[in-house]
Amino acid sequence: EEVAAATGSSPNVSPGLPPATAGGPRMNATFVTLARNTDIWDIARSIRQVEDRFNRKFHYDWVFLNDKPFDEQFKKVTTALVSGKTHYGEIPKEHWSFPDHIDQERAKKVREDMAQRKIIYGDSVSYRHMCRFESGFFFRQPLMLNYEWYWRVEPSVELFCDIDYDAFKFMADNKKKYSFVLSLYEYVETIPTLWDSTKKFMKEHPEHISEGNSMGFLSDDGGATYNHCHMWSNFEIGNLDWLRSKPYMDYFETLDKDGGFFYERWGDAPVHSIAAGLLLKKEEIHFFNDIAYYHVPFTHCPTGQQKRLDLKCHCNPKDNFDWKGYSCTSRYFEINNMPKPEGYEMEQD
Ligand code: GDP
Ligand code: MN
């Protein structure tokens, strides 16, 4: 018996692994990637891993967005890798430029100052357009209007474990609207007045603030100040109708008018996180322990040795960021009264 298994004559299939094509209803869902043509080989690696670990069973579509036209090579290579349908969209200028009310001189001074202070992406105009686009526009692109659910994938990310169930269906069945795998503290230099704008929004739109929200994740003093915790947005599975809703859009409009995407360097991660934390009920935000993920420089490797074995994970549990001091994930467990996964104190098993 043992010899047969070792030489591979009996198949080594995960008990929970659906057939290469999973049966059952499909969700109205898509992967979505914002990328440049030069990102082709980095996004190819991400796609290959998403396909191998998940999408080869489910064949969800993939939408690619770019502020410039995608070239033939980008389209050919990505279409060959994705097992669902691929769609390519060019972002309209209005969604990737300075709004009229922005004072160009002031914005330029900020970039020069941030460059001197060596703040990451502090001197970049395109990075700011990217953050504003991901905060307020990706879910409104014509191609995205066809879908209810999205999963964001960036270039050069890794997935380390099999995902044997439909993560979109999980979100729908469990009434989740937003999800994450990594959380951490934002660089305060990039968002000094984001919380001031948020407080203004809360005052102007108390009707949008949810009962039973996650304020305890965002603030240690009941909302007076922001503790800079946010969920990393380079991975997201979420509900597009929520982003397209009046509460989210009113929040984005408030932020956009205040100009912090250009007068500071507000990231889409704290924007999405604060929105999810205040506009959703805390039960509507999900932490995917079983989706093992890497985006430079952090890893989420699932806590629990049996889980890692069952899911055929290839991450080193010592790399797991969840319970380290700079992660906010403990705080998420605490405010949700959730017991931490078994084995969290001793990741090195
Ligand atoms: P980081 O993860 O914050 O270091 O930023 P990235 O460089 O990974 O950018 C975030 C996402 O936006 C990635 O999916 C990039 O491919 C994409 N992106 C960044 N800048 C641009 C740009 O100027 N044009 C386009 N089309 N995509 C961009
Ligand atoms: Mn990235």
Side-chain angles (χ1 to χ4, degrees):
E1 287 274 337
E2 270 169 31
V3 174
T7 53
S9 60
S10 71
N12 176 28
V13 176
S14 298
L17 186 70
T21 300
R26 283 290 170 286
M27 303 306 292
N28 185 15
T30 185
F31 290 93
V32 60
T33 292
L34 174 69
R36 297 154 287 216
N37 286 309
T38 50
D39 292 319
I40 178 60
W41 300 114
D42 296 324
I43 194 62
R45 285 192 326 137
S46 299
I47 295 170
R48 182 71 220 192
Q49 299 202 32
V50 171
E51 286 290 335
D52 287 349
R53 291 299 199 170
F54 173 80
N55 205 39
R56 69 178 188 90
K57 293 156 243 165
F58 297 99
H59 311 311
Y60 281 106
D61 293 357
W62 206 305
V63 171
F64 295 90
L65 301 171
N66 189 350
D67 57 305
K68 305 212 166 60
F70 281 113
D71 62 31
E72 282 311 308
Q73 184 197 39
F74 189 100
K75 290 194 264 192
K76 244 196 280 189
V77 170
T78 52
T79 293
L81 287 166
V82 174
S83 64
K85 290 200 184 77
T86 48
H87 302 282
Y88 301 86
E90 189 177 340
I91 298 161
K93 267 282 154 314
E94 315 85 77
H95 296 176
W96 195 279
S97 46
F98 293 93
D100 289 339
H101 63 81
I102 293 295
D103 174 344
Q104 289 293 337
E105 275 309 305
R106 180 177 164 196
K108 187 160 166 252
K109 281 217 184 71
V110 168
R111 293 195 300 274
E112 288 164 359
D113 175 59
M114 284 197 178
Q116 273 199 336
R117 291 158 61 208
K118 301 229 174 351
I119 293 168
I120 184 167
Y121 300 119
D123 61 342
S124 173
V125 172
S126 67
Y127 194 84
R128 287 181 169 79
H129 290 322
M130 183 277 286
C131 290
R132 178 170 176 262
F133 176 80
E134 293 286 20
S135 296
F137 299 99
F138 85 89
F139 47 85
R140 296 193 263 165
Q141 300 307 294
L143 287 171
M144 297 303 287
L145 296 178
N146 301 326
Y147 300 100
E148 184 184 359
W149 299 95
Y150 74 103
W151 180 331
R152 175 169 165 183
V153 178
E154 283 204 358
S156 297
V157 301
E158 298 195 60
L159 290 184
F160 301 107
C161 304
D162 282 345
I163 305 158
D164 288 339
Y165 63 95
D166 186 337
F168 294 117
K169 187 161 185 302
F170 173 90
M171 296 283 290
D173 290 349
N174 292 281
K175 300 192 165 52
K176 306 291 185 187
K177 297 276 194 276
Y178 192 74
S179 66
F180 71 103
V181 290
L182 285 161
S183 72
L184 65 156
Y185 295 91
E186 180 62 299
Y187 301 113
V188 60
E189 296 90 344
T190 67
I191 50 154
T193 70
L194 176 58
W195 196 251
D196 294 336
S197 293
T198 300
K199 286 205 282 193
K200 186 176 83 182
F201 166 78
M202 287 193 274
K203 212 162 165 189
E204 280 170 6
H205 289 287
E207 76 280 11
H208 290 338
I209 307 305
S210 197
E211 293 264 338
N213 60 40
S214 306
M215 181 62 97
F217 180 77
L218 302 170
S219 175
D220 300 343
D221 50 20
T225 60
Y226 180 33
N227 62 21
H228 310 130
C229 277
H230 67 291
M231 301 168 264
W232 234 11
S233 62
N234 46 65
F235 169 98
E236 297 177 313
I237 300 176
N239 184 284
L240 291 161
D241 291 332
W242 169 57
L243 293 174
R244 291 185 287 243
S245 71
K246 185 158 169 42
Y248 185 87
M249 285 311 306
D250 283 347
Y251 181 55
F252 174 72
E253 292 302 333
T254 298
L255 299 186
D256 202 32
K257 284 205 188 90
D258 286 348
F261 292 106
F262 300 102
Y263 298 144
E264 294 178 2
R265 207 226 65 198
W266 295 351
D268 53 286
V271 171
H272 288 181
S273 290
I274 294 172
L278 299 179
L279 309 180
L280 298 178
K281 296 187 204 315
K282 62 183 179 182
E283 297 77 20
E284 292 177 309
I285 303 176
H286 183 62
F287 169 64
F288 275 108
N289 184 42
D290 48 9
I291 298 187
Y293 177 82
Y294 171 79
H295 176 295
V296 63
F298 298 119
T299 296
H300 166 67
C301 186
T303 300
Q305 186 186 49
Q306 195 55 51
K307 183 180 287 291
R308 292 193 299 272
L309 297 173
D310 291 345
L311 300 179
K312 300 185 183 299
C313 303
H314 73 281
C315 49
N316 181 342
K318 285 185 188 148
D319 294 338
N320 184 32
F321 183 66
D322 297 352
W323 317 116
K324 305 221 162 115
Y326 211 62
S327 166
C328 292
T329 298
S330 281
R331 200 184 282 270
Y332 169 87
F333 275 76
E334 281 150 23
I335 69 147
N336 287 288
N337 300 314
M338 288 164 56
K340 290 180 192 142
E342 214 173 302
Y344 84 94
E345 324 84 330
M346 31 170 291
E347 280 296 341
Q348 51 277 45
D349 54 346

